[in-house]
Amino acid sequence: MPIDPQLENYLSRLDRALGQIAVSERSDIITEIKSHVLSAQEKNPAETLGQILASLGEPETVANRYLMERGLKPAPAPKTPMVKWLTIGFLGTLTLGVTLILVLIFKFTPLISVDEEKGRVQLLGGLIDVNEKMMSNMKIDGEVRFGDGSRHIEGEQKLRPGTKEINVRFTNGKLDVKPSRSDSVHWDCKLSGGDDAKIESKGSQFILDLSSNLGAKCDLLVPKIQGKLVISGINGKLELDRPQNATNVSLSNGKINVRPDRSLEYRYDNHVRVGKIDSFPSSSNPRALPIAIQVGNGKISLEN
Amino acid sequence: MAGLIENWKTQIRKGYLELCILLLIQAHKRLYGFDLLEKLEAVDLPLKEGTLYPLLNRMTLDGTLSAAWETKQLKGHPRKFYSLTKSGEKLLDEMREEFEKMLKTFKSVQ
């Protein structure tokens, strides 16, 4: 007599789930369960096969009880088709994501490369290219160029007595900062695109704000004050020539070169997140001038 | 509270379930699985089929029960009959003794 497909399916699953048990014993178990089902059908013909099997429980659960009674490790619960497909979907997406990340890393390496000879800093495999020779022109992925409408500004401002901070801000630029022999700040800048520089004295602060300008190439003369020089920029190159003041510099991407004044002592606190940093001999003299330079991606070099 | 009492009942039943199975098999000399389920239900000790058969299987493996397939005298399909072995009889005696001690303790603490 052919066996009902529903029962056949149940017994097949049970057999698979009992995999850890020897085949002869498995066969005995399957036969007993089948015998139970047939006995149940005989006893109560009104009860459907589905109800009898539901009363037995999922074949994997029954199998696990057999395994646990023998001190064996139960098999994992069966996954519904939905769970199976969700798992496949998740793993597939994860694999694609990882592959994409690997391709991006491969395409954009090296992440940063500094070419001193050509005065160039390249980020993300050349996606951002900061070139000192064409600083008024910013090249991004070879498609966008800045630099049209460049102009030249030059000026000088005597600092107010009691000025405690000289603050220079730029977005993209090359700045050469040297000591001034007077008590004035002097600037000589070639600006490209964007707005003009903003120059103002605010309280004890003198501010030279080039950040609205798209590319600035400046020679700055900065006097010695009883305070500090603060320079912040996004992309570019900075030359600090014989700093006479406590100096804080932050540059997201680019290169900073320091030429110390041999007659002064400096206490350095320099950091580069990704890139290179030369070894700076730092003085322990409490009177040494503090120089703190932070570069995100790039280089801090020492010129002796 | 309901959860606590149900949990306690489950734990207690686990303890005397095997005793009751052995007592029933001894009383009837031999029983097959489906029959045993009906008799357990009749004494208000209902048991899931998916729990009984693995338990009988284990008790056969550890020598408490012996099992034999039979088709004679019965129409239709073969059935697996269980009976107590000699060590099963001994085990039953010890379990009965222990259970009676427990009943005695229970009565005395009351």
Side-chain angles (χ1 to χ4, degrees):
Chain A
M1 190 177 163
I3 191 170
D4 187 297
Q6 192 179 5
L7 178 58
E8 181 67 41
N9 177 53
Y10 185 95
L11 296 174
S12 295
R13 283 170 61 187
L14 178 61
D15 186 50
R16 265 201 304 279
L18 289 168
Q20 295 178 61
I21 294 175
V23 65
S24 57
E25 291 180 61
R26 274 208 318 267
S27 159
D28 192 81
I29 291 169
I30 301 296
T31 307
E32 185 171 28
I33 297 298
K34 183 179 167 186
S35 171
H36 167 83
V37 170
L38 296 172
S39 298
Q41 284 180 320
E42 274 175 15
K43 180 79 181 180
N44 186 4
E47 203 175 6
T48 65
L49 176 59
Q51 287 170 322
I52 296 169
L53 294 177
S55 185
L56 263 170
E58 289 292 321
E60 290 77 18
T61 307
V62 174
N64 279 345
R65 290 207 185 96
Y66 276 99
L67 296 173
M68 286 193 291
E69 286 288 351
R70 289 160 178 254
L72 297 171
K73 197 176 165 187
K79 292 182 181 54
T80 64
M82 172 81 84
V83 171
K84 176 184 147 191
W85 285 112
L86 279 174
T87 306
I88 290 170
F90 172 74
L91 290 173
T93 307
L94 187 67
T95 307
L96 276 173
V98 168
T99 308
L100 181 65
I101 287 166
L102 289 172
V103 165
L104 286 174
I105 288 172
F106 176 73
K107 182 174 162 47
F108 291 121
T109 49
L111 290 176
I112 176 163
S113 111
V114 178
D115 188 334
E116 288 196 44
E117 220 175 271
K118 292 180 185 171
R120 215 172 179 170
V121 176
Q122 284 185 325
L123 306 173
L124 299 177
L127 183 66
I128 298 174
D129 189 333
V130 180
N131 185 342
E132 71 168 27
K133 289 194 175 84
M134 32 189 276
M135 196 50 65
S136 57
N137 302 313
M138 178 63 71
K139 179 182 158 188
I140 299 177
D141 202 18
E143 289 180 4
V144 180
R145 288 187 176 269
F146 303 92
D148 293 333
S150 62
R151 54 201 179 281
H152 176 247
I153 59 167
E154 189 175 350
E156 182 177 283
Q157 178 146 332
K158 187 173 174 172
L159 292 178
R160 284 183 193 169
T163 298
K164 294 269 188 256
E165 184 178 299
I166 298 168
N167 195 303
V168 181
R169 302 164 193 167
F170 67 98
T171 300
N172 309 303
K174 178 182 182 292
L175 272 60
D176 273 323
V177 182
K178 293 179 166 68
S180 168
R181 288 182 189 162
S182 69
D183 53 4
S184 302
V185 175
H186 183 266
W187 58 90
D188 183 347
C189 297
K190 184 181 172 188
L191 304 178
S192 309
D195 295 336
D196 278 338
K198 292 186 193 97
I199 298 152
E200 61 178 328
S201 290
K202 214 173 173 182
S204 63
Q205 238 187 359
F206 173 82
I207 300 169
L208 174 59
D209 189 349
L210 305 163
S211 58
S212 300
N213 193 267
L214 298 173
K217 190 174 177 185
C218 286
D219 290 324
L220 295 176
L221 298 176
V222 173
K224 183 172 168 56
I225 58 171
Q226 295 299 315
K228 60 183 176 183
L229 169 64
V230 176
I231 303 173
S232 55
I234 308 294
N235 307 303
K237 185 176 176 183
L238 180 63
E239 296 279 349
L240 270 182
D241 188 358
R242 294 163 289 144
Q244 302 296 306
N245 299 297
T247 304
N248 282 5
V249 181
S250 69
L251 182 65
S252 298
N253 307 298
K255 182 182 170 183
I256 298 176
N257 189 48
V258 181
R259 186 154 80 95
D261 187 328
R262 290 173 195 272
S263 66
L264 295 175
E265 288 181 68
Y266 297 98
R267 191 168 63 252
Y268 294 103
D269 181 19
N270 299 340
H271 300 278
V272 173
R273 199 170 62 240
V274 178
K276 289 187 201 173
I277 179 168
D278 285 351
S279 175
F280 282 72
S282 197
S283 170
S284 56
N285 185 342
R287 288 188 180 184
L289 276 177
I291 308 285
I293 302 173
Q294 313 284 329
V295 171
N297 301 297
K299 182 174 178 177
I300 305 174
S301 57
L302 175 66
E303 188 184 320
N304 284 312
Chain B
M1 184 64 177
L4 284 174
I5 192 65
E6 285 308 312
N7 189 47
W8 182 82
K9 279 183 187 174
T10 305
Q11 296 302 318
I12 285 282
R13 273 192 191 131
K14 271 186 196 171
Y16 66 77
L17 178 63
E18 283 189 40
L19 171 60
C20 293
I21 288 172
L22 293 177
L23 283 169
L24 280 168
I25 294 175
Q26 188 191 51
H28 294 272
K29 300 281 188 268
R30 44 196 274 278
L31 287 170
Y32 65 95
F34 190 81
D35 210 8
L36 183 52
L37 279 168
E38 289 190 312
K39 286 177 170 39
L40 284 167
E41 189 155 357
V43 297
D44 197 25
L45 197 57
L47 190 60
K48 296 282 279 176
E49 305 88 309
T51 304
L52 175 67
Y53 288 106
L55 185 56
L56 291 172
N57 186 252
R58 192 259 293 158
M59 291 166 82
T60 309
L61 286 172
D62 67 20
T64 305
L65 299 173
S66 64
W69 286 97
E70 285 189 20
T71 50
K72 295 189 271 193
Q73 313 296 332
L74 292 160
K75 58 177 179 183
H77 56 277
R79 289 174 173 84
K80 192 174 182 182
F81 281 84
Y82 295 91
S83 52
L84 256 64
T85 61
K86 276 210 173 102
S87 59
E89 296 273 3
K90 197 176 168 201
L91 177 65
L92 179 55
D93 288 339
E94 286 176 28
M95 287 168 83
R96 191 190 268 121
E97 198 181 310
E98 186 60 34
F99 192 77
E100 279 165 7
K101 263 192 210 167
M102 274 167 52
L103 275 178
K104 213 172 167 180
T105 305
F106 171 71
K107 283 175 186 167
S108 66
V109 297
Q110 274 201 309

